Amino acid sequence: MELRKRELRAPFPIFVAMTLFLLQLCAGTSQINHSESSTQIQTSVNTPSAPNSRFLSSSALSLTGKHSSFRWWSRRRHRYRVSRESIEFLFAHNLVRARVGEPPLQWDGRLAAYARAWARQRVGDCRLVHSNGPFGENIFWAGQTNWKPMDVVKVWADENKFYDVNGNTCEPGQMCGHYTQIVWRDSTKVGCARVNCSDGGFYAICVYNPPGNFEGENPFVSYHDDIALLREDPPAVVVNPF
């Protein structure tokens, strides 16, 4: 295929504008050079051995500000980034909540960082203990490490068969606190983490804010006076190796 050659012609007004721009640029450059020469001469006369301290200090401040801003942005981005694992945890929670008509949770990087910090403390022993922090918590342990976030949340959510909605009670001898925390209406944010333990086990934790599972309250009702109410975290879920 033969390509057509098109001759480009710049309109006269564009040519005039470019000429004026170049003239202004040359004038500005000469003015800057003149100012720098005057400053250097004045500085050399007053302090022959010292450079222009004002220029150096302002440049250093500008460069330092840029680098510190970049480092702060990098740390913030690393702290609050959402990984594929995080998305799976969040999706699994919101899937359970959608089934009962509850609004979706939001992923919170600070809660995820809190969960990671506690999970890392459990790498060596995999102890099934809560952090006793200000948030709601669901924790999990399994003997194998092939558990996905969806699988972990499903184990918690399957406790719904032991929960009596009308009586707001759990079947005697069974657990349902993990499920009620997932669907707790006043909980709006979540952050999770998981680790492979040194003994070969698998540990996972999800942290919720505001916390749920307040005594005597229904998970499907919104409350605004949760201060000073006693709350009991659900026990850990333990899954024995297959």
Side-chain angles (χ1 to χ4, degrees), residues 46 48 56 76 81 89 120 132 134 152 202-203 224:
N46 294 331
L56 290 178
R76 184 179 179 87
R81 66 180 181 181
F89 269 119
R120 287 169 181 168
N132 294 323
V152 174
F202 171 88
Y203 184 92
H224 303 285

Side-chain angles (χ1 to χ4, degrees), residues 111 114 131-137 181 207-212 231 233:
L111 295 179
Y114 182 94
S131 68
N132 294 323
F135 311 113
E137 291 182 5
Q181 173 59 87
V207 184
Y208 307 85
N209 194 42
R231 179 173 56 85
D233 284 321

Side-chain angles (χ1 to χ4, degrees), residues 123-223:
V123 170
D125 54 21
C126 255
R127 290 181 58 198
L128 294 172
V129 292
H130 288 280
S131 68
N132 294 323
F135 311 113
E137 291 182 5
N138 282 347
I139 55 178
F140 173 93
W141 178 88
Q144 296 181 342
T145 59
N146 58 345
W147 286 79
K148 298 179 181 179
M150 293 283 292
D151 302 328
V152 174
V153 177
K154 184 179 183 302
V155 171
W156 292 334
D158 284 346
E159 294 178 359
N160 66 338
K161 59 180 174 287
F162 304 122
Y163 176 69
D164 181 8
V165 178
N166 296 325
N168 189 27
T169 57
C170 192
E171 184 178 319
Q174 301 293 338
M175 291 188 299
C176 56
H178 302 92
Y179 167 71
T180 55
Q181 173 59 87
I182 291 176
V183 298
W184 198 268
R185 179 169 297 180
D186 284 344
S187 295
T188 59
K189 298 180 180 180
V190 65
C192 305
R194 63 174 186 171
V195 292
N196 293 333
C197 302
S198 301
D199 61 358
F202 171 88
Y203 184 92
I205 176 175
C206 285
V207 184
Y208 307 85
N209 194 42
N213 288 337
F214 285 91
E215 292 184 1
E217 295 187 1
N218 191 304
F220 304 109
V221 178
S222 182
Y223 297 89

